Amino acid sequence: MKQSKIQSIIESVIQTIIGLVTSILIQLILYPIMGIPVSFKQNLIITFVFFIVSIIRGYLVRRFFNNKK
């Protein structure tokens, strides 16, 4: 069964939100260990940029494979 475009975007957003939370937590631990001086605000901005890119990427990949069926 094919996935609708709205189902694709919902799936992409949910997966990306899970990745967003994971990413913030990992960065809060990893940056200090590596000696990278990043404020919490900077961390959120960096994560948000990757969040948006990830939603778009996930949607496009899902639509590509959905259309191949």
Side-chain angles (χ1 to χ4, degrees):
M1 183 172 116
K2 282 192 169 190
Q3 191 176 52
S4 72
K5 290 181 180 181
I6 194 74
Q7 289 171 323
S8 293
I9 194 70
I10 289 170
E11 179 182 344
S12 179
V13 169
I14 289 171
Q15 287 185 21
T16 306
I17 288 172
I18 293 168
L20 173 77
V21 172
T22 305
S23 177
I24 289 172
L25 295 175
I26 290 171
Q27 289 176 40
L28 287 173
I29 296 167
L30 190 61
Y31 286 163
I33 290 172
M34 297 184 72
I36 301 171
V38 177
S39 71
F40 185 70
K41 182 179 177 182
Q42 290 171 321
N43 188 1
L44 290 179
I45 292 169
I46 293 166
T47 303
F48 182 73
V49 169
F50 284 108
F51 173 73
I52 297 302
V53 171
S54 186
I55 287 175
I56 294 167
R57 176 200 42 84
Y59 175 78
L60 294 175
V61 169
R62 171 61 64 185
R63 295 311 304 162
F64 173 78
F65 283 103
N66 196 46
N67 288 329
K68 287 193 69 119
K69 291 183 179 184

